[in-house]
Structure formats: structure tokens, C-alpha cells
Amino acid sequence: MRVLMFGWEFPPHIAGGLGTACYGMTRGLARNDVEVIFVMPRASGDEDERFVKVVNASDIEARYCDSTIEGADDIMRKISFIHIDSNMVPYISPEEWDTYREEYERTGRKFWEREGDSWTQRYTFSGKYGANLMEEVARYAVVAAEVARQLEGQFDVIHAHDWLTYFAGIAAKRVSGKPLVVHMHATSFDRSSSDNIDTRVYEIERAGMAAADRVIAVSNLTRNIVIEKYNIPAEKVVTVHNAVRFVDKDNELPERGVEDKIVTFLGRITFQKGPDYFVEAAAKVLKRVPNVRFVMAGSGDMMNHVIRRVARLGIADRFHFTGFLKGDDVHNMFQLSDVYIMPSVSEPFGISPLEAMRANVPVIISKQSGVAEVLDYAVKVDYWDVDAMADAIYGFVKYPALSKMFAEKGLEEVTGLKWNNAAAKIKDVYQDAINESDKK
């Protein structure tokens, strides 16, 4: 079986759990005899291609006068595809076109080519989550159609990850006629409160799932949201829990430098991840046990708020902010930790507790996380219950026998949560989509 997969990031260059999940998944699929062509907006050339072929969308010259995407629904027309029988393309103003033309005349650099009745351009994606994200999502869909055309006959099914690539998946499906599977790693309702969701993203998510032949949700929690909030038929939505990849060899244990116990939060410092509840629980613990240090590893829009709150509580000397960590630094941080906590307000799954358990660290997770569905040896608390959170931290740092039991049992438990098994379920989803498509 061969899969054309659209992602947004791939290790070693990642901004969050999506890239980590894609890496583990593609390795697992390879071991289940599934060939994956992984398309991403901007590849760096140092991606691990032992188990996957990476295609850099920035290297693809896309045609913009393309009749194959006629009939797109309203949101597709508004955001992604604008049919203009001229040398103009979506999101390029006359002023910008003049700049491109002048640059071409000055340097001889080939921005445009004439191909029949179409114009082509190679668009260099930033691949980042910045101010031009919506523009890049739209252009990615245009390039995806070209990729699908060029790879005609080389794949059996299309797999698109998260809302960033849903339009790309739809475009590839329309060009190739192959079935589409979309993967919901997080919904708009996870990223913000129900009253404050980004309606543009919601509409992209809804359009992607409506166009898909199958939807994979990373937890039953997410599956229920997909069905109830997006009105996607239940029979089309399948839960496949994420897993954890065991590293080939452990790094040498880094030097701690302190004798204090270390409690770690690792993730984006945003509303969804509940960093403020972590701070409040820390303050309660420090009133009872002074020799504990709290590490907040990550970055995000709540960073300044959290720092100010730590200062007001008078616990700044017990707090450490590392900034964003990736690769070996993440593994080292877990090895240094005595307790790991994920107090997410809403977490579709949450791979980081599995990574902590893999490092023999006891974990505390919120009941509002998908990973709570698959773990028995993790302490589960409501994200808002900072008293219960503080009690759990206190228990682990004060009672070594309790900590050891959770660490040992947790390691045994997480050993069974392998990407090979998750990938086998995903392969079954592919086959169901293919079989259904063949009947049409």
C-alpha cells in the first residue's frame, strides 16, 4: 500500500507534538509494509528519510489556471483557488507582480514559466506558524494538486494531518480521485474556549472532514467533539490513539547540579496547556516542601503572564524557564525530572506523558486529556483542581516508594503503546477508505 501524506512539520525541525506524531507514525507504517511519500511545505534536507520519502513543496512548480478544481465549495474558492486566465495568481497584487517581474528582468531568475494555457510558479514556503499562515495554507493546496498530478499512479490513498493540510488533501483528492483520510490531532475547541474559536480554522476543519472518506481522531474525547461540534457522521470517524517511540539508546544521564526534587511542565505555554494551574499548584507545594524546583519548558503567548504570576507569588527562586526544547534536550529534561505534570485544559491526546513515562518518571495528567483513556498508572486530576494537583506532586516528592511504583508500572504500561500497533490500525482505516471508494 502506498500513501501520499501531507504534513506541516517533520523532525528534526518541529514546533510541537504534530511533527513527533508524524515521525512515529511513518516509521510504524513502514514496518507495516506501507510506503509513505510525505509532503511538507518547507523541507530542510536533514529529515530522517529511512522510513519515508520527503517531498519539499517549495521545490514544486504549481499551475494556477487549473480546471480540475472547479466546483470547489465557497470556502475553498475564497481561501484557496482563484481562477484567473492571465499571469496573475492568488494573493498576488498588481504591485507585487511588478516586483516579481522587475526582479526577473534584473537577475534573470525564473519566477514564472508558460506551460500551455497556464502559468507556473515555484513558491517558497516559510513552513512556520506566522502571520502569513492562512496564505501558506492556501498555496499549499495549490501545490498539493500539482504533486498529486505528478505522482499519478504512485499512491493508493491520501492522508492529511490537521487543519493546516486539509485543503491540500482535498485538492489532491480532486485531482487524483483517490480516497482521502484526514487526521484530527486537535480541534478549534481544544485551542480556545467555545466562545472564542477561530471561525476560519473551524470552517477549514469542517470542510476537510466533510470531504474525507475517513476521519482519524487521536482519542475518543476528540472523536466526540468531531461528531457533536462538526456534525460528521459517527460511522466515518475512527479513534486511533497515539503512541510513543522508544529511542535507540538512552543518552547519558545529565548532571542535575541540584539536590532538590524537580517537577517539570513541558509544552506550549498557552491557555490550552494550563500553565497557570501548574504555577498555582507549585505555590501550594512550596508552602509544604521548600526543597522542590519547578521547570517550565516551552514558549507561548502566556509566557509573560506566567512569569508575572510567579513573581507575585514570591516563588521566582524556585522556578526555571528553559524556553522551547526539542530533540535530545527534551529527553534530557525528562531524565532530570522527578515528576512530570500535564495540566491541560483540553488535550486531544498528549504524547509528552508517554515520553516522561518512557524515561521512568511518574506523571500527573488532567482528566481532560485523551491520553487519560489509555493510562492506568498516571495520577489523573481535573485541570482546575490545583489542590488535588498539589497533593499529587507532594505525594511523589515526599514518598519515594509511591514514586517508584508509579514510575515502574508506568514504564511497563507505556512499553505496550507502540507506533507499530497504532500504524496497523491506521492501515486498516486506509483499507476501509480504499474499499469504499472502489464501490463508488
Side-chain angles (χ1 to χ4, degrees):
M1 186 182 295
R2 297 165 298 180
V3 180
L4 178 60
M5 187 175 289
F6 292 96
W8 200 259
E9 58 184 28
F10 199 81
H13 306 285
I14 63 173
L18 179 58
T20 301
C22 287
Y23 185 54
M25 191 182 307
T26 53
R27 289 173 65 102
L29 287 168
R31 292 191 170 101
N32 280 274
D33 299 319
V34 177
E35 296 179 24
V36 178
I37 300 172
F38 191 92
V39 186
M40 59 190 298
R42 185 180 180 86
S44 300
D46 55 353
E47 290 78 15
D48 185 352
E49 295 193 56
R50 291 175 297 169
F51 300 89
V52 61
K53 177 183 177 182
V54 173
V55 174
N56 183 4
S58 296
D59 288 339
I60 305 297
E61 291 184 345
R63 289 177 280 194
Y64 287 86
C65 298
D66 191 342
S67 61
T68 62
I69 50 180
E70 288 179 355
D73 53 49
D74 287 342
I75 193 162
M76 288 288 284
R77 283 197 299 271
K78 289 176 183 176
I79 297 182
S80 292
F81 305 110
I82 301 175
H83 298 266
I84 304 175
D85 294 325
S86 71
N87 55 8
M88 298 298 290
V89 299
Y91 297 97
I92 297 294
S93 67
E95 292 79 16
E96 289 173 309
W97 165 247
D98 286 341
T99 301
Y100 277 117
R101 179 177 52 77
E102 290 169 6
E103 181 72 7
Y104 170 76
E105 292 175 350
R106 184 176 65 83
T107 66
R109 180 181 173 189
K110 186 183 292 184
F111 284 102
W112 299 91
E113 284 184 353
R114 185 80 174 178
E115 184 175 326
D117 294 326
S118 299
W119 285 86
T120 67
Q121 183 199 27
R122 182 176 297 171
Y123 180 72
T124 302
F125 294 89
S126 72
K128 298 185 182 298
Y129 301 86
N132 295 324
L133 182 58
M134 284 296 180
E135 177 185 342
E136 295 211 349
V137 167
R139 290 186 185 276
Y140 195 31
V142 175
V143 174
E146 184 63 27
V147 171
R149 182 182 293 107
Q150 291 180 9
L151 296 176
E152 184 178 1
Q154 298 181 43
F155 58 93
D156 306 300
V157 64
I158 302 159
H159 188 161
H161 289 283
D162 231 18
W163 71 271
L164 294 157
T165 72
Y166 283 0
F167 279 175
I170 293 172
K173 177 180 179 177
R174 286 179 174 157
V175 167
S176 67
K178 298 298 183 181
L180 170 64
V181 174
V182 301
H183 211 130
M184 182 59 85
H185 294 267
T187 72
S188 289
F189 300 92
D190 297 307
R191 288 182 284 268
S192 58
S193 64
S194 297
D195 298 330
N196 194 37
I197 65 168
D198 188 321
T199 54
R200 299 171 304 167
V201 175
Y202 171 85
E203 289 298 332
I204 295 173
E205 291 171 333
R206 187 184 59 78
M209 290 188 286
D213 297 89
R214 287 290 185 277
V215 177
I216 296 176
V218 294
S219 64
N220 291 323
L221 176 71
T222 301
R223 181 176 185 269
N224 291 336
I225 293 174
V226 165
I227 295 167
E228 295 170 9
K229 300 287 190 180
Y230 296 84
N231 298 315
I232 304 301
E235 62 272 15
K236 196 163 99 170
V237 190
V238 182
T239 297
V240 179
H241 291 108
N242 283 333
V244 65
R245 186 177 72 87
F246 277 74
V247 293
D248 298 328
K249 62 178 181 178
D250 283 339
N251 297 347
E252 290 186 13
L253 187 66
E255 283 193 31
R256 288 173 61 101
V258 295
E259 295 183 0
D260 297 338
K261 297 291 185 179
I262 296 175
V263 180
T264 298
F265 167 106
L266 189 148
R268 295 193 309 278
I269 304 177
T270 62
F271 165 81
Q272 177 192 352
K273 301 295 182 179
D276 42 345
Y277 298 104
F278 175 69
V279 171
E280 300 302 323
K284 290 179 177 293
V285 171
L286 288 169
K287 288 180 180 178
R288 303 162 70 183
V289 189
N291 60 329
V292 182
R293 292 176 184 265
F294 293 85
V295 174
M296 184 163 278
S299 59
D301 57 10
M302 284 186 66
M303 173 71 87
N304 290 337
H305 166 80
V306 168
I307 291 174
R308 285 194 296 268
R309 183 57 180 161
V310 166
R312 289 194 190 103
L313 289 169
I315 57 175
D317 61 328
R318 298 279 97 192
F319 249 83
H320 303 267
F321 295 90
T322 70
F324 180 74
L325 300 181
K326 63 179 181 179
D328 288 343
D329 290 336
V330 172
H331 186 59
N332 289 340
M333 190 65 250
F334 285 133
Q335 287 187 303
L336 288 168
S337 302
D338 296 287
V339 182
Y340 176 71
I341 183 165
M342 187 184 75
S344 298
V345 173
S346 179
E347 188 70 50
F349 188 76
I351 291 178
S352 58
L354 305 185
E355 295 175 320
M357 294 166 78
R358 179 188 63 189
N360 214 35
V361 179
V363 303
I364 303 165
I365 59 177
S366 73
K367 294 178 181 178
Q368 292 73 26
S369 62
V371 73
E373 298 171 9
V374 298
L375 294 179
D376 292 322
Y377 289 97
V379 175
K380 303 169 190 176
V381 299
D382 288 306
Y383 72 86
W384 45 262
D385 194 344
V386 293
D387 289 315
M389 205 178 295
D391 287 342
I393 296 170
Y394 178 83
F396 280 145
V397 300
K398 285 296 289 183
Y399 299 102
L402 180 67
S403 178
K404 181 180 179 183
M405 186 274 286
F406 267 87
E408 291 178 350
K409 293 293 185 180
L411 180 58
E412 290 176 14
E413 186 170 46
V414 79
T415 300
L417 299 174
K418 296 180 178 178
W419 275 114
N420 287 3
N421 300 331
K425 295 177 182 178
I426 292 172
K427 184 179 180 180
D428 289 340
V429 175
Y430 291 159
Q431 193 60 60
D432 287 344
I434 292 169
N435 292 343
E436 184 173 295
S437 179
D438 288 343
K439 293 176 184 177
K440 294 179 180 178

